[in-house]
């Protein structure tokens, strides 16, 4: 089946640093999504990308949908302690069930104050 | 507006026992999804309900898993008999229209541990 390769698996950074994580796939997706999961909570949607090449920002977050439709990155600028959590990328294709998201394994972010 | 509610938040059971997880979607959301994350791995799709009908159950691991959504409101996911590899966090999500583009909200999950 389709798989997403998400990297890095974990990051330990100092408060104020910028963060970058990415996802790649061997197959094409029509939509890329980035979620954040806080401890004990479910994933929360951060950014959704619908067009190849699209670059979207949400506050300190910026994400891009790769031009080949096989990759995406998420950048976080000037990290703060509340950025701690697990970040997941997810892809979706319209061909299958509209509900079927394919997730990466997650990037665990730790921020040192 | 109340979010997606899952119960219990944690469950520890012995191998061979039965466990039933419950999900209450956001009121009025016809679409309900179950996902599972085994530790250290990706979150995987299990199945999708539209009202009380199963739209897609291609992700269900095997016939030990039974999902129901009687009356198109809350849903249950029963594992019988549970095996060690069933341990993980089970997430439920709901949306008013199909797909994540239209507001797809996850619950906090049920952490299932099979010992």
């Amino acid at each position: 089946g389709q798989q997403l390769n998400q990297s890095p698996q974990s990051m330990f950074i100092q408060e104020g640093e910028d963060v970058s994580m990415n996802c790649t796939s061997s197959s094409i997706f029509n939509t890329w999504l980035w979620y954040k999961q806080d401890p004990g909570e479910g994933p929360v949607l951060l950014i959704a990308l619908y067009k190849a090449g699209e670059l979207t920002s949400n506050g300190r977050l910026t994400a891009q949908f790769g031009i080949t439709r096989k990759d995406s990155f998420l950048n976080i600028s000037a990290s703060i302690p509340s950025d701690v959590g697990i970040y997941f990328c997810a892809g979706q294709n319209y061909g299958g069930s509209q509900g079927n998201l394919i997730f990466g394994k997650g990037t665990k972010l730790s921020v040192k104050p | 507006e109340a979010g997606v509610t899952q119960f219990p938040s944690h469950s520890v059971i012995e191998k061979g026992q039965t466990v039933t997880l419950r999900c209450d979607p956001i009121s009025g959301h016809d679409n309900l999804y179950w996902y599972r994350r085994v530790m250290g791995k990706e979150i995987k799709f299990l199945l999708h309900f539209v009202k009380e009908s199963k739209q897609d159950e291609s992700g269900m691991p095997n016939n030990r898993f039974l999902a129901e959504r009687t009356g198109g409101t809350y849903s249950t996911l029963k594992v019988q008999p549970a095996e060690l590899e069933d341990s993980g966090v089970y997430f439920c999500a709901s949306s008013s229209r199909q797909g994540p583009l239209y507001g797809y909200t996850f619950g906090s999950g049920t952490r299932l541990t099979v010992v």
Side-chain angles (χ1 to χ4, degrees):
Chain A
Q2 291 175 307
Q3 285 188 319
L4 297 185
N5 297 309
Q6 185 172 350
S7 64
Q9 281 189 316
S10 61
M11 302 182 75
F12 295 84
I13 62 169
Q14 200 76 34
E15 182 178 359
E17 289 184 350
D18 296 343
V19 171
S20 184
M21 58 192 80
N22 70 83
C23 270
T24 60
S25 170
S26 58
S27 51
I28 289 171
F29 286 102
N30 290 324
T31 304
W32 280 89
L33 306 135
W34 284 93
Y35 286 86
K36 183 193 177 197
Q37 184 187 4
D38 289 325
E41 300 295 327
V44 173
L45 183 65
L46 298 174
I47 290 181
L49 301 156
Y50 309 122
K51 293 182 188 176
E54 179 181 357
L55 183 71
T56 298
S57 292
N58 178 6
R60 294 179 295 106
L61 308 179
T62 302
Q64 183 156 33
F65 190 154
I67 198 74
T68 64
R69 290 203 248 155
K70 292 183 178 181
D71 62 296
S72 177
F73 72 73
L74 174 70
N75 287 341
I76 305 172
S77 63
S79 57
I80 59 178
S82 61
D83 290 334
V84 165
I86 303 176
Y87 292 78
F88 293 97
C89 61
Q92 188 207 34
N93 279 327
Y94 297 148
S97 163
Q98 286 280 326
N100 194 351
L101 296 179
I102 310 296
F103 282 89
K105 291 185 179 180
T107 295
K108 187 175 181 180
L109 179 63
S110 302
V111 179
K112 191 187 298 185
Chain B
E1 173 181 79
V4 177
T5 305
Q6 291 189 245
F7 182 84
S9 56
H10 292 82
S11 180
V12 181
I13 62 171
E14 291 185 352
K15 176 182 170 180
Q17 287 186 324
T18 298
V19 64
T20 301
L21 315 181
R22 173 170 167 148
C23 169
D24 286 72
I26 292 173
S27 178
H29 279 191
D30 288 342
N31 294 279
L32 187 149
Y33 312 87
W34 283 98
Y35 283 80
R36 173 175 76 170
R37 185 178 189 223
V38 172
M39 178 142 42
K41 300 206 170 178
E42 65 272 25
I43 301 171
K44 279 198 170 178
F45 169 80
L46 296 178
L47 87 160
H48 170 203
F49 282 101
V50 177
K51 296 185 181 178
E52 67 275 9
S53 299
K54 292 175 185 172
Q55 173 93 345
D56 181 357
E57 50 184 331
S58 61
M60 293 288 264
N62 51 61
N63 59 10
R64 294 185 294 104
F65 289 75
L66 175 63
E68 295 180 321
R69 194 183 181 196
T70 308
T73 54
Y74 71 90
S75 173
T76 58
L77 180 64
K78 181 160 73 172
V79 185
Q80 178 183 29
E83 298 289 343
L84 298 178
E85 65 263 25
D86 300 333
S87 296
V89 182
Y90 289 76
F91 291 107
C92 174
S94 73
S95 70
S96 56
R97 293 179 64 179
Q98 287 191 345
L101 308 181
Y102 302 104
Y104 190 107
T105 305
F106 280 88
S108 297
T110 293
R111 181 174 293 278
L112 174 65
T113 304
V114 183
V115 296

